[in-house]
Amino acid sequence: MHTLISERQIREGVARLAAEIDADYHGRPLTVLGVLTGSIIFLSDLVRCLNQPLRVGLIQASSYRGPTTTPGELTINTALLPQVAGRDVLLLDDIYDTGQTLARLLRELVQFEPRSVRSAVLLWKEGRQTVDVVPDYHGFKIPNVFVVGYGLDFNDEFRNLRHIARLDAAPGAPANSVPE
Ligand code: XMP
């Protein structure tokens, strides 16, 4: 595995994002909604950098992947969603890849009648988008490689890495098996 974004770069990127968000919302109360599970570390770091009144909530988006890097069908679970009607919502996800997850989540959230919804992602994988929706805020653009760490997983592992690493081959897989 190779380090793509170091712990220090992440810290600086998150602080930069928080400053942008603070400047845009002018102290208006916000609901920061983390997408489980990949955004949990990003969520906890970002909210501690924001200087405005906020609530934290969670929403789950899962696409069964199993021991592969190719996502399956997407399921959204709103059971943990707090009251967002009339509130400004900032949806937070780990990575924007094809954009399908973000587009689906935004469609879903509108039904709960928030005052506004914007989105922020830590990573934006370039050249993969299949939807028109783009995140309002992003930390880093990355090439089309599979990444793990800082909340991102492969087969539910590596979320605890403090940096973002490029995963060159599935662990335990034959040496010539490189994830999509
Ligand atoms: P889409 O394609 O819907 O994908 O924008 C977003 C979701 O796909 C997962 N994903 C990744 N997870 N390393 C990961 O650990 C990656 O390189 C990667 N690319 C996509 C992730 O769950 C994200 O929310």
mmCIF file with all atom_site columns, all heavy atoms in Angstrom, residues 1-19:
data_model
loop_
_atom_site.group_PDB
_atom_site.id
_atom_site.type_symbol
_atom_site.label_atom_id
_atom_site.label_alt_id
_atom_site.label_comp_id
_atom_site.label_asym_id
_atom_site.label_entity_id
_atom_site.label_seq_id
_atom_site.pdbx_PDB_ins_code
_atom_site.Cartn_x
_atom_site.Cartn_y
_atom_site.Cartn_z
_atom_site.occupancy
_atom_site.B_iso_or_equiv
_atom_site.pdbx_formal_charge
_atom_site.auth_seq_id
_atom_site.auth_comp_id
_atom_site.auth_asym_id
_atom_site.auth_atom_id
_atom_site.pdbx_PDB_model_num
ATOM 1   N N   . MET A 1 1  ? 0.838   -1.200 0.000  1.00 0.00 ? 1  MET A N   1
ATOM 2   C CA  . MET A 1 1  ? 0.000   0.000  0.000  1.00 0.00 ? 1  MET A CA  1
ATOM 3   C C   . MET A 1 1  ? 0.876   1.256  0.000  1.00 0.00 ? 1  MET A C   1
ATOM 4   O O   . MET A 1 1  ? 1.874   1.307  0.692  1.00 0.00 ? 1  MET A O   1
ATOM 5   C CB  . MET A 1 1  ? -0.893  0.008  1.240  1.00 0.00 ? 1  MET A CB  1
ATOM 6   C CG  . MET A 1 1  ? -2.160  -0.774 1.045  1.00 0.00 ? 1  MET A CG  1
ATOM 7   S SD  . MET A 1 1  ? -3.403  -0.327 2.240  1.00 0.00 ? 1  MET A SD  1
ATOM 8   C CE  . MET A 1 1  ? -2.941  -1.417 3.566  1.00 0.00 ? 1  MET A CE  1
ATOM 9   N N   . HIS A 1 2  ? 0.440   2.243  -0.753 1.00 0.00 ? 2  HIS A N   1
ATOM 10  C CA  . HIS A 1 2  ? 1.193   3.501  -0.823 1.00 0.00 ? 2  HIS A CA  1
ATOM 11  C C   . HIS A 1 2  ? 0.366   4.638  -0.234 1.00 0.00 ? 2  HIS A C   1
ATOM 12  O O   . HIS A 1 2  ? -0.831  4.719  -0.492 1.00 0.00 ? 2  HIS A O   1
ATOM 13  C CB  . HIS A 1 2  ? 1.505   3.855  -2.279 1.00 0.00 ? 2  HIS A CB  1
ATOM 14  C CG  . HIS A 1 2  ? 2.375   2.868  -2.952 1.00 0.00 ? 2  HIS A CG  1
ATOM 15  N ND1 . HIS A 1 2  ? 1.893   1.702  -3.517 1.00 0.00 ? 2  HIS A ND1 1
ATOM 16  C CD2 . HIS A 1 2  ? 3.712   2.860  -3.151 1.00 0.00 ? 2  HIS A CD2 1
ATOM 17  C CE1 . HIS A 1 2  ? 2.898   1.025  -4.019 1.00 0.00 ? 2  HIS A CE1 1
ATOM 18  N NE2 . HIS A 1 2  ? 4.010   1.692  -3.822 1.00 0.00 ? 2  HIS A NE2 1
ATOM 19  N N   . THR A 1 3  ? 1.022   5.510  0.515  1.00 0.00 ? 3  THR A N   1
ATOM 20  C CA  . THR A 1 3  ? 0.312   6.675  1.062  1.00 0.00 ? 3  THR A CA  1
ATOM 21  C C   . THR A 1 3  ? -0.026  7.624  -0.079 1.00 0.00 ? 3  THR A C   1
ATOM 22  O O   . THR A 1 3  ? 0.847   8.021  -0.847 1.00 0.00 ? 3  THR A O   1
ATOM 23  C CB  . THR A 1 3  ? 1.198   7.411  2.094  1.00 0.00 ? 3  THR A CB  1
ATOM 24  O OG1 . THR A 1 3  ? 1.479   6.503  3.159  1.00 0.00 ? 3  THR A OG1 1
ATOM 25  C CG2 . THR A 1 3  ? 0.480   8.630  2.653  1.00 0.00 ? 3  THR A CG2 1
ATOM 26  N N   . LEU A 1 4  ? -1.296  7.952  -0.159 1.00 0.00 ? 4  LEU A N   1
ATOM 27  C CA  . LEU A 1 4  ? -1.736  8.895  -1.195 1.00 0.00 ? 4  LEU A CA  1
ATOM 28  C C   . LEU A 1 4  ? -1.912  10.284 -0.578 1.00 0.00 ? 4  LEU A C   1
ATOM 29  O O   . LEU A 1 4  ? -1.515  11.296 -1.156 1.00 0.00 ? 4  LEU A O   1
ATOM 30  C CB  . LEU A 1 4  ? -3.067  8.401  -1.786 1.00 0.00 ? 4  LEU A CB  1
ATOM 31  C CG  . LEU A 1 4  ? -3.483  8.949  -3.124 1.00 0.00 ? 4  LEU A CG  1
ATOM 32  C CD1 . LEU A 1 4  ? -2.485  8.544  -4.208 1.00 0.00 ? 4  LEU A CD1 1
ATOM 33  C CD2 . LEU A 1 4  ? -4.873  8.421  -3.484 1.00 0.00 ? 4  LEU A CD2 1
ATOM 34  N N   . ILE A 1 5  ? -2.511  10.306 0.636  1.00 0.00 ? 5  ILE A N   1
ATOM 35  C CA  . ILE A 1 5  ? -2.702  11.579 1.348  1.00 0.00 ? 5  ILE A CA  1
ATOM 36  C C   . ILE A 1 5  ? -2.289  11.346 2.799  1.00 0.00 ? 5  ILE A C   1
ATOM 37  O O   . ILE A 1 5  ? -2.823  10.441 3.462  1.00 0.00 ? 5  ILE A O   1
ATOM 38  C CB  . ILE A 1 5  ? -4.174  12.050 1.263  1.00 0.00 ? 5  ILE A CB  1
ATOM 39  C CG1 . ILE A 1 5  ? -4.635  12.116 -0.195 1.00 0.00 ? 5  ILE A CG1 1
ATOM 40  C CG2 . ILE A 1 5  ? -4.345  13.401 1.937  1.00 0.00 ? 5  ILE A CG2 1
ATOM 41  C CD1 . ILE A 1 5  ? -6.112  12.379 -0.381 1.00 0.00 ? 5  ILE A CD1 1
ATOM 42  N N   . SER A 1 6  ? -1.349  12.135 3.264  1.00 0.00 ? 6  SER A N   1
ATOM 43  C CA  . SER A 1 6  ? -0.791  11.914 4.604  1.00 0.00 ? 6  SER A CA  1
ATOM 44  C C   . SER A 1 6  ? -1.747  12.432 5.687  1.00 0.00 ? 6  SER A C   1
ATOM 45  O O   . SER A 1 6  ? -2.669  13.213 5.408  1.00 0.00 ? 6  SER A O   1
ATOM 46  C CB  . SER A 1 6  ? 0.550   12.627 4.740  1.00 0.00 ? 6  SER A CB  1
ATOM 47  O OG  . SER A 1 6  ? 0.324   14.026 4.760  1.00 0.00 ? 6  SER A OG  1
ATOM 48  N N   . GLU A 1 7  ? -1.457  12.027 6.910  1.00 0.00 ? 7  GLU A N   1
ATOM 49  C CA  . GLU A 1 7  ? -2.257  12.474 8.052  1.00 0.00 ? 7  GLU A CA  1
ATOM 50  C C   . GLU A 1 7  ? -2.256  14.013 8.130  1.00 0.00 ? 7  GLU A C   1
ATOM 51  O O   . GLU A 1 7  ? -3.288  14.629 8.373  1.00 0.00 ? 7  GLU A O   1
ATOM 52  C CB  . GLU A 1 7  ? -1.664  11.854 9.324  1.00 0.00 ? 7  GLU A CB  1
ATOM 53  C CG  . GLU A 1 7  ? -2.495  12.100 10.542 1.00 0.00 ? 7  GLU A CG  1
ATOM 54  C CD  . GLU A 1 7  ? -1.891  11.469 11.795 1.00 0.00 ? 7  GLU A CD  1
ATOM 55  O OE1 . GLU A 1 7  ? -0.880  10.738 11.686 1.00 0.00 ? 7  GLU A OE1 1
ATOM 56  O OE2 . GLU A 1 7  ? -2.427  11.721 12.873 1.00 0.00 ? 7  GLU A OE2 1
ATOM 57  N N   . ARG A 1 8  ? -1.082  14.602 7.902  1.00 0.00 ? 8  ARG A N   1
ATOM 58  C CA  . ARG A 1 8  ? -0.993  16.065 7.988  1.00 0.00 ? 8  ARG A CA  1
ATOM 59  C C   . ARG A 1 8  ? -1.807  16.735 6.872  1.00 0.00 ? 8  ARG A C   1
ATOM 60  O O   . ARG A 1 8  ? -2.525  17.709 7.097  1.00 0.00 ? 8  ARG A O   1
ATOM 61  C CB  . ARG A 1 8  ? 0.482   16.504 7.904  1.00 0.00 ? 8  ARG A CB  1
ATOM 62  C CG  . ARG A 1 8  ? 0.657   17.892 8.438  1.00 0.00 ? 8  ARG A CG  1
ATOM 63  C CD  . ARG A 1 8  ? 2.070   18.390 8.349  1.00 0.00 ? 8  ARG A CD  1
ATOM 64  N NE  . ARG A 1 8  ? 2.129   19.419 7.306  1.00 0.00 ? 8  ARG A NE  1
ATOM 65  C CZ  . ARG A 1 8  ? 3.077   19.505 6.407  1.00 0.00 ? 8  ARG A CZ  1
ATOM 66  N NH1 . ARG A 1 8  ? 4.060   18.652 6.385  1.00 0.00 ? 8  ARG A NH1 1
ATOM 67  N NH2 . ARG A 1 8  ? 3.053   20.457 5.501  1.00 0.00 ? 8  ARG A NH2 1
ATOM 68  N N   . GLN A 1 9  ? -1.704  16.179 5.676  1.00 0.00 ? 9  GLN A N   1
ATOM 69  C CA  . GLN A 1 9  ? -2.478  16.752 4.561  1.00 0.00 ? 9  GLN A CA  1
ATOM 70  C C   . GLN A 1 9  ? -3.983  16.651 4.833  1.00 0.00 ? 9  GLN A C   1
ATOM 71  O O   . GLN A 1 9  ? -4.737  17.567 4.522  1.00 0.00 ? 9  GLN A O   1
ATOM 72  C CB  . GLN A 1 9  ? -2.147  16.016 3.258  1.00 0.00 ? 9  GLN A CB  1
ATOM 73  C CG  . GLN A 1 9  ? -0.784  16.354 2.696  1.00 0.00 ? 9  GLN A CG  1
ATOM 74  C CD  . GLN A 1 9  ? -0.450  15.476 1.492  1.00 0.00 ? 9  GLN A CD  1
ATOM 75  O OE1 . GLN A 1 9  ? -0.518  14.245 1.566  1.00 0.00 ? 9  GLN A OE1 1
ATOM 76  N NE2 . GLN A 1 9  ? -0.098  16.096 0.392  1.00 0.00 ? 9  GLN A NE2 1
ATOM 77  N N   . ILE A 1 10 ? -4.409  15.526 5.416  1.00 0.00 ? 10 ILE A N   1
ATOM 78  C CA  . ILE A 1 10 ? -5.836  15.376 5.743  1.00 0.00 ? 10 ILE A CA  1
ATOM 79  C C   . ILE A 1 10 ? -6.248  16.443 6.745  1.00 0.00 ? 10 ILE A C   1
ATOM 80  O O   . ILE A 1 10 ? -7.265  17.120 6.588  1.00 0.00 ? 10 ILE A O   1
ATOM 81  C CB  . ILE A 1 10 ? -6.145  13.965 6.305  1.00 0.00 ? 10 ILE A CB  1
ATOM 82  C CG1 . ILE A 1 10 ? -5.901  12.881 5.258  1.00 0.00 ? 10 ILE A CG1 1
ATOM 83  C CG2 . ILE A 1 10 ? -7.598  13.900 6.797  1.00 0.00 ? 10 ILE A CG2 1
ATOM 84  C CD1 . ILE A 1 10 ? -6.054  11.464 5.773  1.00 0.00 ? 10 ILE A CD1 1
ATOM 85  N N   . ARG A 1 11 ? -5.429  16.606 7.796  1.00 0.00 ? 11 ARG A N   1
ATOM 86  C CA  . ARG A 1 11 ? -5.765  17.587 8.841  1.00 0.00 ? 11 ARG A CA  1
ATOM 87  C C   . ARG A 1 11 ? -5.918  18.985 8.228  1.00 0.00 ? 11 ARG A C   1
ATOM 88  O O   . ARG A 1 11 ? -6.870  19.706 8.506  1.00 0.00 ? 11 ARG A O   1
ATOM 89  C CB  . ARG A 1 11 ? -4.665  17.574 9.903  1.00 0.00 ? 11 ARG A CB  1
ATOM 90  C CG  . ARG A 1 11 ? -5.102  18.183 11.211 1.00 0.00 ? 11 ARG A CG  1
ATOM 91  C CD  . ARG A 1 11 ? -4.172  17.885 12.364 1.00 0.00 ? 11 ARG A CD  1
ATOM 92  N NE  . ARG A 1 11 ? -2.769  18.037 12.045 1.00 0.00 ? 11 ARG A NE  1
ATOM 93  C CZ  . ARG A 1 11 ? -1.878  17.040 12.050 1.00 0.00 ? 11 ARG A CZ  1
ATOM 94  N NH1 . ARG A 1 11 ? -2.258  15.822 12.358 1.00 0.00 ? 11 ARG A NH1 1
ATOM 95  N NH2 . ARG A 1 11 ? -0.619  17.258 11.747 1.00 0.00 ? 11 ARG A NH2 1
ATOM 96  N N   . GLU A 1 12 ? -4.977  19.335 7.349  1.00 0.00 ? 12 GLU A N   1
ATOM 97  C CA  . GLU A 1 12 ? -5.040  20.663 6.727  1.00 0.00 ? 12 GLU A CA  1
ATOM 98  C C   . GLU A 1 12 ? -6.254  20.780 5.795  1.00 0.00 ? 12 GLU A C   1
ATOM 99  O O   . GLU A 1 12 ? -6.910  21.812 5.742  1.00 0.00 ? 12 GLU A O   1
ATOM 100 C CB  . GLU A 1 12 ? -3.749  20.923 5.927  1.00 0.00 ? 12 GLU A CB  1
ATOM 101 C CG  . GLU A 1 12 ? -2.553  21.126 6.854  1.00 0.00 ? 12 GLU A CG  1
ATOM 102 C CD  . GLU A 1 12 ? -1.208  21.125 6.114  1.00 0.00 ? 12 GLU A CD  1
ATOM 103 O OE1 . GLU A 1 12 ? -1.170  20.898 4.877  1.00 0.00 ? 12 GLU A OE1 1
ATOM 104 O OE2 . GLU A 1 12 ? -0.188  21.343 6.797  1.00 0.00 ? 12 GLU A OE2 1
ATOM 105 N N   . GLY A 1 13 ? -6.532  19.688 5.079  1.00 0.00 ? 13 GLY A N   1
ATOM 106 C CA  . GLY A 1 13 ? -7.676  19.690 4.151  1.00 0.00 ? 13 GLY A CA  1
ATOM 107 C C   . GLY A 1 13 ? -8.991  19.841 4.897  1.00 0.00 ? 13 GLY A C   1
ATOM 108 O O   . GLY A 1 13 ? -9.888  20.576 4.468  1.00 0.00 ? 13 GLY A O   1
ATOM 109 N N   . VAL A 1 14 ? -9.116  19.148 6.020  1.00 0.00 ? 14 VAL A N   1
ATOM 110 C CA  . VAL A 1 14 ? -10.356 19.212 6.801  1.00 0.00 ? 14 VAL A CA  1
ATOM 111 C C   . VAL A 1 14 ? -10.525 20.623 7.384  1.00 0.00 ? 14 VAL A C   1
ATOM 112 O O   . VAL A 1 14 ? -11.623 21.193 7.364  1.00 0.00 ? 14 VAL A O   1
ATOM 113 C CB  . VAL A 1 14 ? -10.360 18.127 7.913  1.00 0.00 ? 14 VAL A CB  1
ATOM 114 C CG1 . VAL A 1 14 ? -11.520 18.324 8.877  1.00 0.00 ? 14 VAL A CG1 1
ATOM 115 C CG2 . VAL A 1 14 ? -10.414 16.729 7.290  1.00 0.00 ? 14 VAL A CG2 1
ATOM 116 N N   . ALA A 1 15 ? -9.428  21.215 7.844  1.00 0.00 ? 15 ALA A N   1
ATOM 117 C CA  . ALA A 1 15 ? -9.497  22.575 8.403  1.00 0.00 ? 15 ALA A CA  1
ATOM 118 C C   . ALA A 1 15 ? -9.896  23.578 7.310  1.00 0.00 ? 15 ALA A C   1
ATOM 119 O O   . ALA A 1 15 ? -10.702 24.490 7.547  1.00 0.00 ? 15 ALA A O   1
ATOM 120 C CB  . ALA A 1 15 ? -8.150  22.953 9.015  1.00 0.00 ? 15 ALA A CB  1
ATOM 121 N N   . ARG A 1 16 ? -9.368  23.379 6.120  1.00 0.00 ? 16 ARG A N   1
ATOM 122 C CA  . ARG A 1 16 ? -9.706  24.272 4.994  1.00 0.00 ? 16 ARG A CA  1
ATOM 123 C C   . ARG A 1 16 ? -11.190 24.157 4.650  1.00 0.00 ? 16 ARG A C   1
ATOM 124 O O   . ARG A 1 16 ? -11.892 25.154 4.456  1.00 0.00 ? 16 ARG A O   1
ATOM 125 C CB  . ARG A 1 16 ? -8.830  23.910 3.781  1.00 0.00 ? 16 ARG A CB  1
ATOM 126 C CG  . ARG A 1 16 ? -9.096  24.719 2.534  1.00 0.00 ? 16 ARG A CG  1
ATOM 127 C CD  . ARG A 1 16 ? -8.179  24.341 1.375  1.00 0.00 ? 16 ARG A CD  1
ATOM 128 N NE  . ARG A 1 16 ? -8.044  22.911 1.131  1.00 0.00 ? 16 ARG A NE  1
ATOM 129 C CZ  . ARG A 1 16 ? -8.966  22.169 0.525  1.00 0.00 ? 16 ARG A CZ  1
ATOM 130 N NH1 . ARG A 1 16 ? -10.100 22.714 0.120  1.00 0.00 ? 16 ARG A NH1 1
ATOM 131 N NH2 . ARG A 1 16 ? -8.768  20.882 0.320  1.00 0.00 ? 16 ARG A NH2 1
ATOM 132 N N   . LEU A 1 17 ? -11.690 22.911 4.604  1.00 0.00 ? 17 LEU A N   1
ATOM 133 C CA  . LEU A 1 17 ? -13.107 22.678 4.318  1.00 0.00 ? 17 LEU A CA  1
ATOM 134 C C   . LEU A 1 17 ? -13.989 23.341 5.371  1.00 0.00 ? 17 LEU A C   1
ATOM 135 O O   . LEU A 1 17 ? -14.997 23.976 5.038  1.00 0.00 ? 17 LEU A O   1
ATOM 136 C CB  . LEU A 1 17 ? -13.398 21.175 4.368  1.00 0.00 ? 17 LEU A CB  1
ATOM 137 C CG  . LEU A 1 17 ? -13.279 20.378 3.083  1.00 0.00 ? 17 LEU A CG  1
ATOM 138 C CD1 . LEU A 1 17 ? -13.635 18.931 3.345  1.00 0.00 ? 17 LEU A CD1 1
ATOM 139 C CD2 . LEU A 1 17 ? -14.229 20.962 2.051  1.00 0.00 ? 17 LEU A CD2 1
ATOM 140 N N   . ALA A 1 18 ? -13.613 23.167 6.636  1.00 0.00 ? 18 ALA A N   1
ATOM 141 C CA  . ALA A 1 18 ? -14.406 23.729 7.732  1.00 0.00 ? 18 ALA A CA  1
ATOM 142 C C   . ALA A 1 18 ? -14.464 25.252 7.614  1.00 0.00 ? 18 ALA A C   1
ATOM 143 O O   . ALA A 1 18 ? -15.516 25.861 7.834  1.00 0.00 ? 18 ALA A O   1
ATOM 144 C CB  . ALA A 1 18 ? -13.817 23.306 9.071  1.00 0.00 ? 18 ALA A CB  1
ATOM 145 N N   . ALA A 1 19 ? -13.342 25.863 7.242  1.00 0.00 ? 19 ALA A N   1
ATOM 146 C CA  . ALA A 1 19 ? -13.315 27.329 7.103  1.00 0.00 ? 19 ALA A CA  1
ATOM 147 C C   . ALA A 1 19 ? -14.259 27.767 5.982  1.00 0.00 ? 19 ALA A C   1
ATOM 148 O O   . ALA A 1 19 ? -14.998 28.752 6.112  1.00 0.00 ? 19 ALA A O   1
ATOM 149 C CB  . ALA A 1 19 ? -11.883 27.796 6.831  1.00 0.00 ? 19 ALA A CB  1
#
